[in-house]
Amino acid sequence: MMAFLDFVAVYLMESYRLTPSQAAMASTVFPVGSLTGLLASIAFYDRFSKRGIRTVLTLSLILSLLSVLTLQYLPLFNLSAEINYLVALGAIFLFAFSISPAYYLPMSIFSIEYGGPHSATLVCLIDAFGFAASATFAFIGGRLADSSGGWSSFMNMLILISAVGIISVWAFMHSEYKAAKRLDI
């Protein structure tokens, strides 16, 4: 899901007829959204129980899915081009805001807690799988964006990945919650 960052400028350029420099500037909403999401996570991550974190991250990823659905179905609302553009920027910001805590925090914390003296190795392995997934996403996403279905096909793939992400993070955080609950007994 984070690999969407690689496509934001091209998506904005092609969907909203921006120049490359305008698209590059507009695409900064993604990293700003990620930064804001990580800063916002300071308010809850260390204060919530494992169950609370599971709930917040699941809701956050559902919000990211709703953001992608907004991008996918925005043309159906027949809004003006300017309003469509502003809504798209807001949806991209919200997408990044809501996925960054779920992307960065659980695996980093998992790596530190369970990796022990090998946490660097665990972080490297997790990131290596992430880069492999990102490369796969970039290749397939690029082909979909250039296909006859265009960005609609791309967004459908992102919707599927978002749904799988919600289930995966919930399952991971649920297992963390269960493990912590067993230790409390």
Side-chain angles (χ1 to χ4, degrees):
M1 292 169 68
M2 284 297 285
F4 180 46
L5 171 62
D6 298 335
F7 287 90
V8 171
V10 177
Y11 167 76
L12 290 170
M13 189 172 66
E14 291 183 359
S15 297
Y16 297 97
R17 294 182 175 87
L18 302 177
T19 65
S21 61
Q22 291 171 325
M25 289 185 292
S27 70
T28 61
V29 298
F30 193 104
V32 170
S34 292
L35 170 67
T36 307
L38 286 171
L39 291 175
S41 68
I42 292 169
F44 71 86
Y45 210 93
D46 290 333
R47 292 178 178 95
F48 281 20
S49 67
K50 297 279 187 187
R51 182 177 180 197
I53 292 169
R54 179 191 68 192
T55 301
V56 170
L57 291 183
T58 301
L59 291 173
S60 179
L61 287 174
I62 290 170
L63 187 59
S64 73
L65 174 59
L66 292 174
S67 299
V68 178
L69 288 168
T70 299
L71 291 172
Q72 173 70 327
Y73 296 109
L74 189 57
L76 298 178
F77 293 111
N78 294 320
L79 303 171
S80 71
E82 186 176 315
I83 298 294
N84 265 357
Y85 176 67
L86 293 174
V87 171
L89 290 179
I92 292 167
F93 175 89
L94 197 56
F95 177 82
F97 175 88
S98 57
I99 65 166
S100 62
Y103 178 79
Y104 287 106
L105 296 175
M107 284 301 150
S108 298
I109 292 167
F110 171 80
S111 298
I112 292 167
E113 285 181 4
Y114 296 102
H118 305 290
S119 59
T121 301
L122 188 53
V123 168
C124 289
L125 288 173
I126 290 169
D127 283 345
F129 282 110
F131 282 118
S134 182
T136 303
F137 176 83
F139 184 81
I140 295 170
R143 287 192 68 136
L144 286 173
D146 275 345
S147 73
S148 61
W151 287 105
S152 179
S153 296
F154 178 91
M155 289 300 169
N156 283 334
M157 179 184 72
L158 195 54
I159 289 166
L160 176 65
I161 291 169
S162 296
V164 170
I166 291 167
I167 294 165
S168 299
V169 168
W170 183 89
F172 176 78
M173 296 308 296
H174 184 69
S175 67
E176 289 284 290
Y177 164 66
K178 289 287 196 181
K181 195 173 173 182
R182 275 193 303 270
L183 293 174
D184 289 341
I185 295 178

